[in-house]
Amino acid sequence: METFLGLDLATWWFLVIGGLITGYGVLDGFDLGAGALHLFFNKEESRRTALNAIGPVWDGNEVWLVIAGGALFAGFPLVYGVMLSTFYIPFMLFLVALIFRAISIEFRSKEPWRWWRKMWDISYMASSTFITLLLGLILGNLIHGLPFNEQHEFTGDLLTFFNPYAILIAITTLSLFMMHGAIYLTMKTENRLYAKLTVLVNNCCKFFILCFILTSMATLIYIPHMTQEFKHNPWLFALPLAAVLTVLNLKRNIDSRKYFTAFVFSSITTSILLILFAIGLFPNIIISSTNPAYNISIYKAASSATSLRIMLIMAAIGTPLVLSYTIFVFWTFRGKVKLNEMSY
Amino acid sequence: MPSVEILARVQFAFTIAFHYIYPPLSIGLGLCLIIMEGLYLKTGLAIYQEITRFWIKIFALIFGIGVATGIVMEFEFGTNWATYSHYVGDIFGSALAAEGIFAFALESGFLGVLLFGWNRVSKGVHFFSTIMVALGSIFSALWIVIANSWQQTPTGFRIEGTGMEARAVVTDFWEMVLNPSSVDRFSHVIIGSFLAGSFLVMSVAAWYILRRQFTRHAQAMFKVGLRVAVVAALLQLFTGHRSAHYVSKYQPAKLAAMEGHFDSLAVADAYLLGWVNQKEQKTSGLKIPGGLSFLTHGDFTTPMQGLRATPPTERPTAVNFVFQTYHLMVIIGMTLIGLTLLAVFLLWKKKLFDQRWLMMIFVGAVLLPQIANQVGWYTAEVGRQPWVVYGLLRTSDALSKTVSANQVLFSLILFTLVYLLLFLLFLFLLHRKIQHGPDVTQNEEEVSDLYSKRNIGGVH
């Protein structure tokens, strides 16, 4: 296969998709997490502030999911089809939850009635939590592997997805996003809500560290194929080490109330965890628990070299653009949230 | 129980038709917003800022539902049509990826500034954001229509592999992008969207005019909408003709179904209204003899290929459906031209806003472009059956192999309920927003109070 800078095009595209998913995790992670915590705030003003903290950016964050989906379709059509049709019911529920989340954010402020706002508050929290858990569940199953036959047909049923490992990953994802979201909210709020959040951040962080330890142990013990690559290339152990150091730094910064630095570290944590997952998987994307010979590798699934080359050019042009207006938007809405007549 | 194929097709048709209520409105409103805000920047009059703000709020509502229901479409390719995804991924995927990276990111990024940025950025930057959001929605349509057009008239590819492993692979990117139908279909779709958006603006404005509320604002809105609508309605005649022309060249069976033309090779008539009897393969109605031959070849006597020229397994079965949807679209298109020209004439005579009957028509006319956009797509998509990729991949071969009828039935019921709720909420919130109207500044309110007291006897 054609190569560019020493890597073949399929690997490049694997990196692009990995980058997009990481971007999605870091960006939508905080607004999903903020949503999952929404009902912890009791006052109407607190809820509005929390909602407006993510108001101008959540839609842009969600676009990373759309782009990642498109990139998977474009780069590895086989995986796109197999993955989505395998997780048919989870994905359908995921899509419905995305709809409910979007309309909860948009519709809540449209009417002043208490029942109306309460209804959307519950819907916002429930959908945010549900989306996060489903993402984690799907990720957990991808790490764990699923029963696929030689024709890449899924031979399990809905219950297959609810194995203990996948459930653990789902909870870990929720804990990570809740912590990430709580840190983001402390950066954007002041006074009483801020005080309340400093306590909440601490608890979320402890919950995450607990999940992090459990996930690390479970992966080491039960998922041998995720650690194989590390045995061949011992220098890769720098990454899990970096993950531990990052988490420790994260805790330290939360304790000393340096929330911006803490946010940077929780973003790095999310990234490293996804990179570890990518390394464990590579060069496969779909792992068959029936027989390793039925795995789908990036080489089997990749689009043609022509297509991959064109899309890499697109990504090279598009990424700086996307990053520049993402930065522009975040810069425009920097600082603490101030409610005004245009707010949610 | 219906087959997986029927259920999956119904689900796709339902979710895309529902989705398609919103993007055309966003695209059309986007253009109207650029004009309104542009007028504000140019004249500095508060009235233009107020109508811009008002329509941005409605834009946000429509855009939000468009995004939410659009994500469903992206993933539905994979969930229900895995074989199709594998087949076209090399081509469709790149268009979809381009849409995400060049269009969605643009519109979603700047939407925040549009909605919440009034006090945070300068007027110029805000206007720039409005343009970016509008452009983003147009780019989005561009890539999607390219992908769909490739399925109608595939070029710039080769087939690799056989059977279930077969797939189309790009050989020439630009040939794929600029396939024979993309330009005509894109312009037809975009102008249809401008009509949808501008008629919404005019509908709401006409409603205020009838109720003698926000009269000055309503007239300003109406004029913006009318400018867009009259140009769009006339242009649509041209793009429509061009679209029919590509169909005649590349999809003769679809064109034959559109006019209910069965004979293998005969002079083809164009119907104004009619009915297709599929059993007897006969079409009757009010027709221009040789009309289709004339529209296609500029000659009333040129024989044209009819449905029977295509083997029964390779031509659309729902002929009457295609015939009716196509004719409804054309009739509505002509009506829109008549309506907008009449309105422009009356505006020039300075009598437009006194014609209450015409204002009543404009309140309801918001539905016309919507219906035309919908049935136009029904014509295009049902008319190309049994193919999902024209001449290459059959719809029945494109399904996900592992998804069962029960699963699709479950998701279909789920989407039906959720979309019904979504639609009711949309109508409710839209209604409330319209009732609330633009936020008029004190000064403006006095002016409009004076205006209403003097002219309308204090009804406000």
Side-chain angles (χ1 to χ4, degrees), chain A residues 62-63 66 69-70 73-74 80 84-85 88-89 92 107 111 302-304 307 310-311 325 329 332-334 342, chain B residues 61 71 74 79-80 85 90 93-94 96 104-106 108-109 112 115 118 120 167 169 173 410-411 415 429 432:
Chain A
E62 204 172 281
V63 167
V66 177
F73 191 176
Y80 177 81
L84 289 168
S85 58
Y88 188 84
I89 299 288
M92 289 296 162
F107 292 179
E111 300 296 346
S303 285
S304 67
S307 191
I310 294 162
M311 291 186 302
Y325 35 75
V329 172
T332 304
F333 295 99
R334 70 193 177 277
M342 292 301 280
Chain B
L61 175 65
I71 296 179
E74 180 188 3
T79 52
N80 292 77
S85 299
D90 209 78
S94 53
L96 215 61
F104 285 157
L106 196 65
S108 303
L115 293 177
W118 284 107
R120 289 203 172 233
R167 60 174 189 164
V169 169
F173 180 71
F410 167 78
S411 55
F415 278 120
L429 288 170
R432 294 274 301 177

Side-chain angles (χ1 to χ4, degrees), chain B residues 8 131 136 147 172-173 279 296 357 417 434 446:
Chain B
I131 295 174
D172 184 332
F173 180 71
K279 253 194 193 138
T296 319
W357 61 274
L417 294 175
I434 293 169
E446 281 164 18

Side-chain angles (χ1 to χ4, degrees), chain B residues 357-374:
Chain B
W357 61 274
L358 190 61
M359 289 297 118
M360 278 181 208
I361 292 177
F362 268 104
V363 170
V366 63
L367 292 176
L368 294 177
Q370 282 288 347
I371 295 170
N373 284 335
Q374 291 277 338

Side-chain angles (χ1 to χ4, degrees), chain A residues 175-217:
Chain A
S175 71
L176 173 65
F177 283 5
M178 278 165 88
M179 174 184 71
H180 197 42
I183 298 173
Y184 176 80
L185 288 178
T186 49
M187 284 160 52
K188 304 296 282 185
T189 54
E190 46 199 353
N191 306 331
R192 287 177 60 177
L193 181 58
Y194 173 84
K196 190 178 171 111
L197 273 162
T198 52
V199 181
L200 196 59
V201 164
N202 247 314
N203 292 333
C204 288
C205 183
K206 283 176 197 153
F207 180 39
F208 169 69
I209 290 176
L210 176 72
C211 291
F212 176 75
I213 294 169
L214 285 175
T215 299
S216 306
M217 287 183 354

Side-chain angles (χ1 to χ4, degrees), chain A residues 12 92 195 209 232 235 240 308 326 340 343:
Chain A
W12 271 108
M92 289 296 162
I209 290 176
H232 296 307
W235 60 270
L308 292 179
T326 305
N340 63 35
S343 305

